[in-house]
CSV table of all heavy atoms in Angstrom, one decimal:
chain,number,residue,atom,x,y,z
Y,118,VAL,N,79.5,90.6,108.6
Y,118,VAL,CA,78.9,91.6,107.8
Y,118,VAL,C,78.5,91.0,106.4
Y,118,VAL,O,77.4,91.2,105.9
Y,118,VAL,CB,79.8,92.9,107.6
Y,118,VAL,CG1,79.1,93.8,106.6
Y,118,VAL,CG2,79.9,93.6,108.9
Y,128,GLY,N,73.1,89.1,93.7
Y,128,GLY,CA,74.2,89.5,92.8
Y,128,GLY,C,75.5,89.5,93.5
Y,128,GLY,O,76.5,89.5,92.8
Y,157,LEU,N,87.4,89.9,95.4
Y,157,LEU,CA,87.3,91.3,95.5
Y,157,LEU,C,86.9,92.0,94.2
Y,157,LEU,O,86.0,92.9,94.2
Y,157,LEU,CB,88.6,91.9,96.1
Y,157,LEU,CG,88.6,93.5,96.2
Y,157,LEU,CD1,87.5,94.0,97.2
Y,157,LEU,CD2,90.0,93.9,96.8
Y,182,SER,N,92.2,90.6,103.7
Y,182,SER,CA,93.2,90.8,104.7
Y,182,SER,C,93.3,89.6,105.6
Y,182,SER,O,94.5,89.3,106.1
Y,182,SER,CB,92.8,92.0,105.6
Y,182,SER,OG,91.7,91.8,106.4
Y,184,VAL,N,93.4,86.5,104.8
Y,184,VAL,CA,94.3,85.6,104.1
Y,184,VAL,C,95.7,85.9,104.5
Y,184,VAL,O,96.4,84.9,104.9
Y,184,VAL,CB,94.1,85.7,102.6
Y,184,VAL,CG1,95.2,84.9,101.9
Y,184,VAL,CG2,92.7,85.3,102.1
Y,192,SER,N,103.0,80.8,109.7
Y,192,SER,CA,104.5,80.9,109.6
Y,192,SER,C,105.1,80.9,110.9
Y,192,SER,O,106.2,80.2,111.1
Y,192,SER,CB,104.8,82.2,108.8
Y,192,SER,OG,106.2,82.3,108.7
Y,197,LEU,N,109.2,78.4,113.6
Y,197,LEU,CA,110.0,78.5,114.8
Y,197,LEU,C,110.5,77.2,115.4
Y,197,LEU,O,111.6,77.1,115.8
Y,197,LEU,CB,109.3,79.4,115.8
Y,197,LEU,CG,109.1,80.8,115.5
Y,197,LEU,CD1,108.4,81.6,116.6
Y,197,LEU,CD2,110.4,81.5,115.2
Y,198,PRO,N,109.7,76.1,115.4
Y,198,PRO,CA,110.2,74.9,116.0
Y,198,PRO,C,111.3,74.2,115.3
Y,198,PRO,O,112.0,73.4,115.8
Y,198,PRO,CB,108.9,74.0,116.0
Y,198,PRO,CG,107.8,74.9,116.0
Y,198,PRO,CD,108.2,76.1,115.1
Y,199,GLN,N,111.5,74.7,114.0
Y,199,GLN,CA,112.6,74.0,113.2
Y,199,GLN,C,113.9,74.7,113.3
Y,199,GLN,O,114.9,74.3,112.7
Y,199,GLN,CB,112.1,74.1,111.7
Y,199,GLN,CG,110.8,73.3,111.5
Y,199,GLN,CD,110.3,73.5,110.1
Y,199,GLN,OE1,111.0,74.0,109.2
Y,199,GLN,NE2,109.1,73.0,109.9
Y,204,ALA,N,120.8,78.6,117.6
Y,204,ALA,CA,120.4,79.9,117.1
Y,204,ALA,C,119.0,80.3,117.4
Y,204,ALA,O,118.4,81.1,116.8
Y,204,ALA,CB,120.7,80.0,115.5
Y,217,PHE,N,105.7,90.4,112.9
Y,217,PHE,CA,105.0,91.6,113.5
Y,217,PHE,C,105.0,92.7,112.5
Y,217,PHE,O,104.0,93.5,112.4
Y,217,PHE,CB,105.7,92.0,114.8
Y,217,PHE,CG,105.4,91.1,115.9
Y,217,PHE,CD1,106.4,90.7,116.8
Y,217,PHE,CD2,104.1,90.7,116.2
Y,217,PHE,CE1,106.1,89.9,117.9
Y,217,PHE,CE2,103.8,89.9,117.3
Y,217,PHE,CZ,104.8,89.5,118.1
Y,226,LEU,N,96.0,98.1,107.4
Y,226,LEU,CA,95.0,97.9,106.3
Y,226,LEU,C,93.6,97.7,106.9
Y,226,LEU,O,92.6,98.3,106.4
Y,226,LEU,CB,95.4,96.7,105.4
Y,226,LEU,CG,94.4,96.3,104.3
Y,226,LEU,CD1,94.2,97.4,103.3
Y,226,LEU,CD2,94.9,95.0,103.6
Y,236,ALA,N,83.1,105.8,107.5
Y,236,ALA,CA,82.8,107.0,106.6
Y,236,ALA,C,81.6,106.7,105.7
Y,236,ALA,O,80.7,107.6,105.5
Y,236,ALA,CB,84.0,107.3,105.7
Y,277,LEU,N,79.5,117.9,95.3
Y,277,LEU,CA,79.9,116.7,94.5
Y,277,LEU,C,79.1,116.8,93.2
Y,277,LEU,O,79.7,116.4,92.1
Y,277,LEU,CB,79.5,115.4,95.2
Y,277,LEU,CG,79.9,114.1,94.6
Y,277,LEU,CD1,80.2,113.1,95.6
Y,277,LEU,CD2,78.9,113.6,93.6
Y,290,GLU,N,90.1,108.0,90.4
Y,290,GLU,CA,91.5,107.5,90.3
Y,290,GLU,C,92.2,107.5,91.6
Y,290,GLU,O,93.0,106.6,91.9
Y,290,GLU,CB,92.3,108.2,89.2
Y,290,GLU,CG,91.7,108.0,87.8
Y,290,GLU,CD,92.3,109.0,86.8
Y,290,GLU,OE1,93.1,109.9,87.2
Y,290,GLU,OE2,92.0,108.8,85.6
Y,300,LEU,N,79.8,111.5,82.1
Y,300,LEU,CA,80.0,112.2,83.4
Y,300,LEU,C,78.9,111.8,84.4
Y,300,LEU,O,79.3,111.6,85.6
Y,300,LEU,CB,79.9,113.7,83.1
Y,300,LEU,CG,80.0,114.6,84.4
Y,300,LEU,CD1,81.3,114.3,85.1
Y,300,LEU,CD2,79.9,116.1,84.0
Y,314,PRO,N,73.6,107.7,99.2
Y,314,PRO,CA,72.4,107.2,98.5
Y,314,PRO,C,72.4,107.9,97.1
Y,314,PRO,O,72.9,109.0,96.9
Y,314,PRO,CB,71.3,107.8,99.4
Y,314,PRO,CG,71.9,108.9,100.1
Y,314,PRO,CD,73.3,108.6,100.4
Side-chain angles (χ1 to χ4, degrees):
V118 172
L157 175 59
S182 71
V184 171
S192 180
L197 292 183
Q199 301 173 9
F217 281 135
L226 175 61
L277 186 149
E290 292 168 356
L300 175 58

